[in-house]
Amino acid sequence: TTPRIKFFLWQCYHGSIPTKDVLDSQGFNLDTACELCGCNSETIIHLLCDCGVARNVWRKLGINDANQDFYNTPLAEWLRKNCESSISFSRPRIPWSFIFPKAVWLIRLHCNNYVFKNKRINESIHL
C-alpha cells in the first residue's frame, strides 16, 4: 500500500490518532461520543470497525455482522491480522491484505469529511 496509508496504520497501531477518546485522555474536556453514530466513545477501533458507518463498509465488503473474530479483536491485533491476511476477496481475486488497509484509510477520510467538511455519509464508500 502507499506510504501515507502505512503511516496511518502505524499511527492507529500505536494509538496516536486524535480521536475524542485520545484527546479526552490528554486533558481536553469534551464529549467523547462518536460524531457519526452518537452511541459510543469515539475510539480508534470504534471509528474503524464498530461504528455503524464502518460496519456498513465492512458488510458491503463481505464481513458478516456475526463474524466475532473480526469485530471483537483488540485494535493492534485486528490491524495486524487483517493486514497480513492471505485470503483473497471476491472477483477478481484481490488480496484482503490490499483491500483492508485501503478500506480503513477511506473510512477515516470519510469520517473526517463528515465531521470537518459537513459532507454527507456516502453509502457507496466501499466501491
Side-chain angles (χ1 to χ4, degrees), residues 2-119:
T2 66
R4 178 179 284 177
I5 295 174
K6 285 180 184 178
F7 181 65
F8 172 71
L9 292 169
W10 181 88
Q11 288 179 306
C12 290
Y13 187 86
H14 293 284
S16 62
I17 299 298
T19 60
K20 287 182 171 186
D21 188 59
V22 169
L23 295 173
D24 186 58
S25 72
Q26 294 175 348
F28 291 88
N29 188 18
L30 44 93
D31 177 15
T32 60
C34 176
E35 290 283 331
L36 296 169
C37 69
C39 293
N40 294 314
S41 182
E42 187 185 85
T43 62
I44 298 169
I45 193 71
H46 173 75
L47 280 177
L48 301 178
C49 180
D50 299 326
C51 182
V53 173
R55 278 198 181 233
N56 189 40
V57 172
W58 299 122
R59 196 177 302 118
K60 289 179 178 178
L61 288 174
I63 304 295
N64 187 312
D65 282 338
N67 186 337
Q68 296 301 307
D69 192 39
F70 186 83
Y71 290 109
N72 291 331
T73 304
L75 176 66
E77 184 181 345
W78 182 73
L79 290 168
R80 184 191 50 75
K81 210 162 140 180
N82 284 287
C83 286
E84 294 176 350
S85 175
S86 61
I87 65 167
S88 291
F89 178 77
S90 189
R91 291 185 200 130
R93 290 287 194 210
I94 302 171
W96 183 250
S97 59
F98 175 80
I99 292 172
F100 176 80
K102 186 73 171 177
V104 166
W105 170 255
L106 289 174
I107 289 168
R108 179 60 177 169
L109 286 180
H110 181 68
C111 292
N112 285 345
N113 285 335
Y114 177 81
V115 172
F116 299 113
K117 296 181 180 178
N118 296 317
K119 292 191 176 180

